[in-house]
Amino acid sequence: MSGLKEKGRLTRLRLALGMAVFGSATPVSKIVTGAMPVFVGSAFRVGLGALVLAPFAWSGRGALRGFTRRDWITVCLIALFGMFGFSALMLYGMGMVSGVVGAIVMSTAPAVTAAASMLFFGDSPTWRKLAAIALAVAGVLLLQLGQGSGGGGGSEVWFGAALVFGAVCCEACYTLLGKRMSEHADPVLVAFLASALSVPLFLPFAIWQWPDFDVAQVSAGAWAAAIWYGAGTLSLGTWLWYSGLAKAEGAVAAAFMGIMPVSALLLSYLLLGEEFRIVHLAGFGTVFAGVLLISWEHARMEKED
C-alpha cells in the first residue's frame, strides 16, 4: 500500500513539475527574444530539444516501422504548427508585450483547445466548455483594455497579444494532433520527431538572420534562458508531463493544467521584474476560472467513461 501511495505522489509531482516547466516558457521566451533573432533562437530551441529527447525516444524507435502515411503527415503537421508556428509566433509576440500579458494570453490554451476540439474533432459542446471559452476571451479583453505597461504603444501591444494568441492556437493543434498520435505511439517519440523535422524549417530563416546576430553580445543569463527554453520547456517538460500522464486518470491530469498559467504569471514577476497591477490579477482570475471549468469538465467526462 505504501508503495502505491509513493507512486501516486511521484505521478502527481511529475504532473505538477511538468506544468510548472511549461509555464516558464512565457517569461523565458521574452528573455530569449531580447537577446537573439527570433529564428536563430527558435532553431536553437528545437535543435537542442531534439538532442535532449533523442535518448528517451530511442527505446521506442521500433514503432516507426508501424507508422502509416497518415501518421507521418500528422507528425509533420505537429512540426509545422507545434514547433515552427508556435516558436516563431511566441517569440515575435513576446517581443511586443510584457511577460505578464503573455502569461495571461497563454493561459487561454485550455479553452482554445476545447474550442478547437469542438470545431474540428466533433467534441460535443457543454455549458462548462462554452463558459470557459467566454471567460478566456473576457479575461484577455479585460487585460488589454485596462493594462498600460506593455512592450510598446497600444497598437503594438494588441498586435503582440494577437501573435501570442496565434501561438496558443498552434499549441492547441500540437495538443490535439499529439493526442491522436499518442493513442498508438510514444508521445516522447512524437515530440522528438516533430522537433527534429522542424529544424529544416527554421534553418533558412536562421541563416538569413545570422549576419545581424552578434554571438558575443549574448549574456550568460540569456544563454541560460535559451538552453532552458530548449532543454527545459521543450524536453524536460514533455518528459515530466507525459510520464505522469501515462499513470494518471484524465481528470487528475486536467486539474494540474491550472499550474501552468500560475507558473507563467509568477515567473514573469520574478524573472522579468515586472510591476504588479490590479488589472493583471483581474484578467488572470477571469481566465483561470475558465481553466478550472475545463478541469471540472474533464473530471465529469472521466466519471462518465
Tab-separated table of all heavy atoms in Angstrom, residues 57-108:
chain	number	residue	atom	x	y	z
A	57	ALA	N	13.618	8.877	-26.675
A	57	ALA	CA	12.841	8.382	-27.813
A	57	ALA	C	13.446	7.114	-28.404
A	57	ALA	O	12.754	6.358	-29.101
A	57	ALA	CB	12.748	9.467	-28.888
A	58	TRP	N	14.726	6.858	-28.124
A	58	TRP	CA	15.438	5.745	-28.757
A	58	TRP	C	14.768	4.401	-28.475
A	58	TRP	O	14.678	3.537	-29.357
A	58	TRP	CB	16.883	5.724	-28.276
A	58	TRP	CG	17.713	4.626	-28.882
A	58	TRP	CD1	18.152	3.489	-28.280
A	58	TRP	CD2	18.215	4.585	-30.216
A	58	TRP	NE1	18.889	2.725	-29.139
A	58	TRP	CE2	18.951	3.374	-30.350
A	58	TRP	CE3	18.128	5.432	-31.316
A	58	TRP	CZ2	19.576	3.005	-31.538
A	58	TRP	CZ3	18.745	5.069	-32.502
A	58	TRP	CH2	19.457	3.866	-32.602
A	59	SER	N	14.280	4.225	-27.253
A	59	SER	CA	13.694	2.934	-26.880
A	59	SER	C	12.414	2.642	-27.662
A	59	SER	O	12.027	1.480	-27.809
A	59	SER	CB	13.388	2.896	-25.376
A	59	SER	OG	12.464	3.923	-25.032
A	60	GLY	N	11.776	3.683	-28.179
A	60	GLY	CA	10.528	3.476	-28.918
A	60	GLY	C	10.701	3.523	-30.417
A	60	GLY	O	9.717	3.577	-31.158
A	61	ARG	N	11.961	3.457	-30.890
A	61	ARG	CA	12.217	3.597	-32.320
A	61	ARG	C	11.581	2.485	-33.150
A	61	ARG	O	11.302	2.662	-34.336
A	61	ARG	CB	13.723	3.640	-32.576
A	61	ARG	CG	14.450	2.345	-32.237
A	61	ARG	CD	15.954	2.520	-32.273
A	61	ARG	NE	16.676	1.265	-32.045
A	61	ARG	CZ	16.856	0.708	-30.859
A	61	ARG	NH1	16.377	1.300	-29.773
A	61	ARG	NH2	17.527	-0.425	-30.743
A	62	GLY	N	11.358	1.322	-32.527
A	62	GLY	CA	10.765	0.213	-33.271
A	62	GLY	C	9.368	0.526	-33.777
A	62	GLY	O	8.910	-0.049	-34.774
A	63	ALA	N	8.699	1.476	-33.106
A	63	ALA	CA	7.336	1.830	-33.517
A	63	ALA	C	7.309	2.530	-34.871
A	63	ALA	O	6.258	2.580	-35.526
A	63	ALA	CB	6.692	2.727	-32.457
A	64	LEU	N	8.455	3.054	-35.301
A	64	LEU	CA	8.495	3.774	-36.581
A	64	LEU	C	8.128	2.867	-37.751
A	64	LEU	O	7.576	3.332	-38.754
A	64	LEU	CB	9.895	4.365	-36.809
A	64	LEU	CG	10.332	5.472	-35.841
A	64	LEU	CD1	11.769	5.881	-36.133
A	64	LEU	CD2	9.403	6.676	-35.943
A	65	ARG	N	8.420	1.569	-37.614
A	65	ARG	CA	8.098	0.641	-38.701
A	65	ARG	C	6.592	0.521	-38.913
A	65	ARG	O	6.144	0.173	-40.003
A	65	ARG	CB	8.692	-0.742	-38.407
A	65	ARG	CG	10.213	-0.784	-38.459
A	65	ARG	CD	10.715	-2.218	-38.424
A	65	ARG	NE	10.436	-2.837	-37.126
A	65	ARG	CZ	11.257	-2.820	-36.093
A	65	ARG	NH1	12.429	-2.202	-36.204
A	65	ARG	NH2	10.943	-3.402	-34.952
A	66	GLY	N	5.825	0.800	-37.850
A	66	GLY	CA	4.376	0.701	-37.968
A	66	GLY	C	3.690	2.005	-38.330
A	66	GLY	O	2.463	2.049	-38.437
A	67	PHE	N	4.466	3.068	-38.526
A	67	PHE	CA	3.882	4.360	-38.878
A	67	PHE	C	3.271	4.301	-40.278
A	67	PHE	O	3.908	3.864	-41.238
A	67	PHE	CB	4.941	5.461	-38.831
A	67	PHE	CG	5.093	6.095	-37.471
A	67	PHE	CD1	4.883	5.360	-36.317
A	67	PHE	CD2	5.462	7.423	-37.345
A	67	PHE	CE1	5.036	5.935	-35.057
A	67	PHE	CE2	5.613	8.010	-36.099
A	67	PHE	CZ	5.399	7.268	-34.948
A	68	THR	N	2.041	4.769	-40.382
A	68	THR	CA	1.390	4.849	-41.687
A	68	THR	C	1.671	6.220	-42.311
A	68	THR	O	2.253	7.111	-41.673
A	68	THR	CB	-0.127	4.672	-41.539
A	68	THR	OG1	-0.654	5.762	-40.755
A	68	THR	CG2	-0.454	3.342	-40.844
A	69	ARG	N	1.236	6.370	-43.551
A	69	ARG	CA	1.400	7.659	-44.226
A	69	ARG	C	0.669	8.757	-43.448
A	69	ARG	O	1.171	9.881	-43.312
A	69	ARG	CB	0.858	7.563	-45.650
A	69	ARG	CG	1.008	8.850	-46.452
A	69	ARG	CD	0.433	8.678	-47.845
A	69	ARG	NE	0.541	9.916	-48.610
A	69	ARG	CZ	0.070	10.095	-49.830
A	69	ARG	NH1	-0.541	9.073	-50.434
A	69	ARG	NH2	0.197	11.240	-50.456
A	70	ARG	N	-0.508	8.404	-42.932
A	70	ARG	CA	-1.278	9.378	-42.148
A	70	ARG	C	-0.532	9.770	-40.881
A	70	ARG	O	-0.558	10.943	-40.480
A	70	ARG	CB	-2.634	8.773	-41.793
A	70	ARG	CG	-3.542	9.726	-41.014
A	70	ARG	CD	-4.875	9.069	-40.709
A	70	ARG	NE	-5.744	9.949	-39.938
A	70	ARG	CZ	-6.945	9.639	-39.521
A	70	ARG	NH1	-7.460	8.436	-39.814
A	70	ARG	NH2	-7.674	10.489	-38.817
A	71	ASP	N	0.156	8.825	-40.252
A	71	ASP	CA	0.942	9.130	-39.051
A	71	ASP	C	2.043	10.128	-39.364
A	71	ASP	O	2.266	11.091	-38.610
A	71	ASP	CB	1.544	7.850	-38.469
A	71	ASP	CG	0.497	6.940	-37.852
A	71	ASP	OD1	-0.553	7.445	-37.436
A	71	ASP	OD2	0.740	5.708	-37.801
A	72	TRP	N	2.750	9.911	-40.465
A	72	TRP	CA	3.841	10.807	-40.834
A	72	TRP	C	3.313	12.202	-41.186
A	72	TRP	O	3.958	13.215	-40.865
A	72	TRP	CB	4.650	10.228	-41.990
A	72	TRP	CG	5.585	9.148	-41.551
A	72	TRP	CD1	5.520	7.824	-41.850
A	72	TRP	CD2	6.749	9.315	-40.723
A	72	TRP	NE1	6.561	7.139	-41.265
A	72	TRP	CE2	7.334	8.022	-40.568
A	72	TRP	CE3	7.351	10.406	-40.106
A	72	TRP	CZ2	8.489	7.824	-39.816
A	72	TRP	CZ3	8.503	10.204	-39.351
A	72	TRP	CH2	9.054	8.916	-39.212
A	73	ILE	N	2.169	12.262	-41.836
A	73	ILE	CA	1.556	13.558	-42.135
A	73	ILE	C	1.206	14.278	-40.838
A	73	ILE	O	1.437	15.489	-40.690
A	73	ILE	CB	0.305	13.380	-43.020
A	73	ILE	CG1	0.711	12.916	-44.421
A	73	ILE	CG2	-0.488	14.692	-43.104
A	73	ILE	CD1	-0.468	12.605	-45.321
A	74	THR	N	0.665	13.528	-39.872
A	74	THR	CA	0.314	14.117	-38.579
A	74	THR	C	1.551	14.644	-37.863
A	74	THR	O	1.544	15.755	-37.311
A	74	THR	CB	-0.390	13.076	-37.686
A	74	THR	OG1	-1.565	12.603	-38.349
A	74	THR	CG2	-0.786	13.691	-36.350
A	75	VAL	N	2.643	13.874	-37.876
A	75	VAL	CA	3.885	14.317	-37.237
A	75	VAL	C	4.413	15.569	-37.922
A	75	VAL	O	4.884	16.510	-37.252
A	75	VAL	CB	4.932	13.192	-37.275
A	75	VAL	CG1	6.296	13.714	-36.816
A	75	VAL	CG2	4.513	12.024	-36.398
A	76	CYS	N	4.325	15.618	-39.253
A	76	CYS	CA	4.782	16.802	-39.988
A	76	CYS	C	3.928	18.028	-39.640
A	76	CYS	O	4.453	19.145	-39.527
A	76	CYS	CB	4.738	16.544	-41.488
A	76	CYS	SG	6.013	15.393	-42.079
A	77	LEU	N	2.628	17.821	-39.454
A	77	LEU	CA	1.758	18.932	-39.056
A	77	LEU	C	2.096	19.412	-37.644
A	77	LEU	O	2.054	20.615	-37.363
A	77	LEU	CB	0.294	18.503	-39.131
A	77	LEU	CG	-0.278	18.318	-40.539
A	77	LEU	CD1	-1.690	17.752	-40.473
A	77	LEU	CD2	-0.274	19.645	-41.300
A	78	ILE	N	2.437	18.467	-36.761
A	78	ILE	CA	2.861	18.848	-35.411
A	78	ILE	C	4.135	19.680	-35.478
A	78	ILE	O	4.289	20.679	-34.768
A	78	ILE	CB	3.072	17.597	-34.542
A	78	ILE	CG1	1.735	16.897	-34.273
A	78	ILE	CG2	3.726	17.964	-33.204
A	78	ILE	CD1	1.866	15.571	-33.557
A	79	ALA	N	5.068	19.276	-36.350
A	79	ALA	CA	6.307	20.036	-36.514
A	79	ALA	C	6.019	21.431	-37.063
A	79	ALA	O	6.608	22.423	-36.610
A	79	ALA	CB	7.252	19.283	-37.460
A	80	LEU	N	5.096	21.506	-38.034
A	80	LEU	CA	4.779	22.796	-38.662
A	80	LEU	C	4.094	23.751	-37.689
A	80	LEU	O	4.491	24.920	-37.565
A	80	LEU	CB	3.890	22.565	-39.889
A	80	LEU	CG	3.424	23.817	-40.629
A	80	LEU	CD1	4.599	24.586	-41.206
A	80	LEU	CD2	2.439	23.442	-41.743
A	81	PHE	N	3.070	23.263	-37.006
A	81	PHE	CA	2.301	24.136	-36.114
A	81	PHE	C	2.871	24.164	-34.694
A	81	PHE	O	3.074	25.244	-34.121
A	81	PHE	CB	0.837	23.676	-36.073
A	81	PHE	CG	0.100	23.900	-37.353
A	81	PHE	CD1	-0.182	22.844	-38.205
A	81	PHE	CD2	-0.305	25.167	-37.722
A	81	PHE	CE1	-0.858	23.048	-39.394
A	81	PHE	CE2	-0.977	25.395	-38.909
A	81	PHE	CZ	-1.261	24.330	-39.745
A	82	GLY	N	3.109	22.984	-34.122
A	82	GLY	CA	3.520	22.905	-32.728
A	82	GLY	C	4.933	23.372	-32.460
A	82	GLY	O	5.232	23.828	-31.348
A	83	MET	N	5.813	23.260	-33.445
A	83	MET	CA	7.196	23.680	-33.256
A	83	MET	C	7.493	24.982	-34.011
A	83	MET	O	7.829	25.998	-33.411
A	83	MET	CB	8.150	22.576	-33.724
A	83	MET	CG	7.983	21.263	-32.991
A	83	MET	SD	8.378	21.432	-31.225
A	83	MET	CE	7.890	19.836	-30.605
A	84	PHE	N	7.340	24.962	-35.329
A	84	PHE	CA	7.686	26.135	-36.147
A	84	PHE	C	6.743	27.304	-35.855
A	84	PHE	O	7.182	28.395	-35.492
A	84	PHE	CB	7.626	25.768	-37.627
A	84	PHE	CG	8.022	26.893	-38.545
A	84	PHE	CD1	9.355	27.191	-38.763
A	84	PHE	CD2	7.052	27.652	-39.179
A	84	PHE	CE1	9.721	28.240	-39.601
A	84	PHE	CE2	7.408	28.698	-40.017
A	84	PHE	CZ	8.738	28.990	-40.231
A	85	GLY	N	5.439	27.058	-36.011
A	85	GLY	CA	4.481	28.138	-35.800
A	85	GLY	C	4.485	28.661	-34.382
A	85	GLY	O	4.499	29.880	-34.155
A	86	PHE	N	4.492	27.741	-33.415
A	86	PHE	CA	4.467	28.159	-32.013
A	86	PHE	C	5.688	29.002	-31.660
A	86	PHE	O	5.558	30.080	-31.076
A	86	PHE	CB	4.403	26.932	-31.101
A	86	PHE	CG	4.506	27.261	-29.640
A	86	PHE	CD1	3.385	27.646	-28.924
A	86	PHE	CD2	5.726	27.203	-28.976
A	86	PHE	CE1	3.465	27.979	-27.576
A	86	PHE	CE2	5.822	27.533	-27.643
A	86	PHE	CZ	4.691	27.914	-26.935
A	87	SER	N	6.878	28.526	-31.996
A	87	SER	CA	8.103	29.243	-31.609
A	87	SER	C	8.176	30.620	-32.255
A	87	SER	O	8.480	31.621	-31.589
A	87	SER	CB	9.334	28.416	-31.988
A	87	SER	OG	9.395	27.230	-31.240
A	88	ALA	N	7.896	30.693	-33.571
A	88	ALA	CA	8.001	31.971	-34.272
A	88	ALA	C	6.991	32.980	-33.742
A	88	ALA	O	7.337	34.137	-33.438
A	88	ALA	CB	7.802	31.756	-35.770
A	89	LEU	N	5.739	32.569	-33.605
A	89	LEU	CA	4.704	33.488	-33.129
A	89	LEU	C	4.943	33.890	-31.674
A	89	LEU	O	4.748	35.056	-31.300
A	89	LEU	CB	3.331	32.832	-33.272
A	89	LEU	CG	2.825	32.660	-34.709
A	89	LEU	CD1	1.581	31.790	-34.733
A	89	LEU	CD2	2.551	34.009	-35.363
A	90	MET	N	5.356	32.921	-30.868
A	90	MET	CA	5.595	33.193	-29.450
A	90	MET	C	6.724	34.208	-29.270
A	90	MET	O	6.591	35.188	-28.520
A	90	MET	CB	5.940	31.888	-28.732
A	90	MET	CG	6.113	32.028	-27.236
A	90	MET	SD	4.534	32.301	-26.420
A	90	MET	CE	5.023	32.083	-24.716
A	91	LEU	N	7.826	33.994	-29.953
A	91	LEU	CA	8.973	34.881	-29.773
A	91	LEU	C	8.706	36.275	-30.334
A	91	LEU	O	9.049	37.285	-29.710
A	91	LEU	CB	10.215	34.272	-30.404
A	91	LEU	CG	10.786	33.050	-29.676
A	91	LEU	CD1	11.986	32.485	-30.431
A	91	LEU	CD2	11.195	33.399	-28.257
A	92	TYR	N	8.108	36.356	-31.519
A	92	TYR	CA	7.784	37.675	-32.071
A	92	TYR	C	6.763	38.392	-31.180
A	92	TYR	O	6.878	39.594	-30.926
A	92	TYR	CB	7.234	37.542	-33.489
A	92	TYR	CG	8.302	37.542	-34.549
A	92	TYR	CD1	8.483	36.440	-35.381
A	92	TYR	CD2	9.142	38.649	-34.734
A	92	TYR	CE1	9.469	36.429	-36.357
A	92	TYR	CE2	10.128	38.650	-35.710
A	92	TYR	CZ	10.289	37.540	-36.519
A	92	TYR	OH	11.273	37.539	-37.478
A	93	GLY	N	5.758	37.654	-30.714
A	93	GLY	CA	4.738	38.261	-29.866
A	93	GLY	C	5.291	38.741	-28.542
A	93	GLY	O	4.966	39.853	-28.081
A	94	MET	N	6.147	37.929	-27.911
A	94	MET	CA	6.697	38.302	-26.614
A	94	MET	C	7.658	39.476	-26.713
A	94	MET	O	7.970	40.120	-25.710
A	94	MET	CB	7.390	37.104	-25.964
A	94	MET	CG	6.441	36.019	-25.480
A	94	MET	SD	5.180	36.622	-24.336
A	94	MET	CE	6.187	37.271	-23.004
A	95	GLY	N	8.139	39.751	-27.937
A	95	GLY	CA	8.981	40.933	-28.119
A	95	GLY	C	8.187	42.227	-28.059
A	95	GLY	O	8.761	43.313	-27.978
A	96	MET	N	6.844	42.128	-28.107
A	96	MET	CA	5.988	43.316	-28.147
A	96	MET	C	5.160	43.520	-26.883
A	96	MET	O	4.567	44.584	-26.703
A	96	MET	CB	5.033	43.223	-29.348
A	96	MET	CG	5.723	43.111	-30.683
A	96	MET	SD	4.526	42.977	-32.045
A	96	MET	CE	5.635	42.626	-33.411
A	97	VAL	N	5.065	42.492	-26.048
A	97	VAL	CA	4.223	42.617	-24.850
A	97	VAL	C	5.045	42.281	-23.610
A	97	VAL	O	6.140	41.720	-23.696
A	97	VAL	CB	2.996	41.668	-24.922
A	97	VAL	CG1	2.140	41.996	-26.128
A	97	VAL	CG2	3.429	40.202	-24.958
A	98	SER	N	4.483	42.602	-22.459
A	98	SER	CA	5.145	42.269	-21.204
A	98	SER	C	4.991	40.780	-20.921
A	98	SER	O	4.136	40.099	-21.503
A	98	SER	CB	4.524	43.074	-20.060
A	98	SER	OG	3.182	42.650	-19.824
A	99	GLY	N	5.808	40.288	-20.011
A	99	GLY	CA	5.715	38.878	-19.656
A	99	GLY	C	4.373	38.532	-19.036
A	99	GLY	O	3.830	37.447	-19.258
A	100	VAL	N	3.794	39.462	-18.256
A	100	VAL	CA	2.505	39.215	-17.617
A	100	VAL	C	1.396	39.122	-18.653
A	100	VAL	O	0.539	38.235	-18.594
A	100	VAL	CB	2.187	40.318	-16.589
A	100	VAL	CG1	0.768	40.184	-16.077
A	100	VAL	CG2	3.176	40.250	-15.431
A	101	VAL	N	1.392	40.029	-19.628
A	101	VAL	CA	0.396	39.973	-20.701
A	101	VAL	C	0.518	38.644	-21.451
A	101	VAL	O	-0.478	37.964	-21.718
A	101	VAL	CB	0.560	41.159	-21.673
A	101	VAL	CG1	-0.326	40.974	-22.900
A	101	VAL	CG2	0.223	42.467	-20.979
A	102	GLY	N	1.739	38.268	-21.783
A	102	GLY	CA	1.951	36.999	-22.481
A	102	GLY	C	1.487	35.816	-21.659
A	102	GLY	O	0.871	34.878	-22.195
A	103	ALA	N	1.739	35.852	-20.355
A	103	ALA	CA	1.336	34.741	-19.480
A	103	ALA	C	-0.177	34.592	-19.452
A	103	ALA	O	-0.710	33.484	-19.495
A	103	ALA	CB	1.873	34.970	-18.067
A	104	ILE	N	-0.890	35.714	-19.394
A	104	ILE	CA	-2.348	35.639	-19.319
A	104	ILE	C	-2.946	35.207	-20.648
A	104	ILE	O	-3.893	34.422	-20.688
A	104	ILE	CB	-2.923	36.991	-18.840
A	104	ILE	CG1	-2.434	37.266	-17.415
A	104	ILE	CG2	-4.445	36.990	-18.895
A	104	ILE	CD1	-2.844	38.601	-16.856
A	105	VAL	N	-2.387	35.684	-21.755
A	105	VAL	CA	-2.870	35.226	-23.061
A	105	VAL	C	-2.606	33.729	-23.220
A	105	VAL	O	-3.459	32.974	-23.700
A	105	VAL	CB	-2.209	36.018	-24.206
A	105	VAL	CG1	-2.607	35.439	-25.567
A	105	VAL	CG2	-2.603	37.489	-24.149
A	106	MET	N	-1.435	33.265	-22.792
A	106	MET	CA	-1.104	31.841	-22.903
A	106	MET	C	-2.006	30.979	-22.025
A	106	MET	O	-2.240	29.813	-22.324
A	106	MET	CB	0.353	31.605	-22.510
A	106	MET	CG	1.366	31.975	-23.588
A	106	MET	SD	1.161	31.034	-25.119
A	106	MET	CE	1.484	29.370	-24.548
A	107	SER	N	-2.533	31.558	-20.949
A	107	SER	CA	-3.379	30.770	-20.060
A	107	SER	C	-4.741	30.458	-20.665
A	107	SER	O	-5.524	29.709	-20.083
A	107	SER	CB	-3.551	31.489	-18.712
A	107	SER	OG	-4.307	32.680	-18.856
A	108	THR	N	-5.020	31.023	-21.840
A	108	THR	CA	-6.256	30.675	-22.542
A	108	THR	C	-6.143	29.342	-23.285
A	108	THR	O	-7.128	28.892	-23.881
A	108	THR	CB	-6.642	31.764	-23.563
A	108	THR	OG1	-5.641	31.828	-24.595
A	108	THR	CG2	-6.759	33.134	-22.907
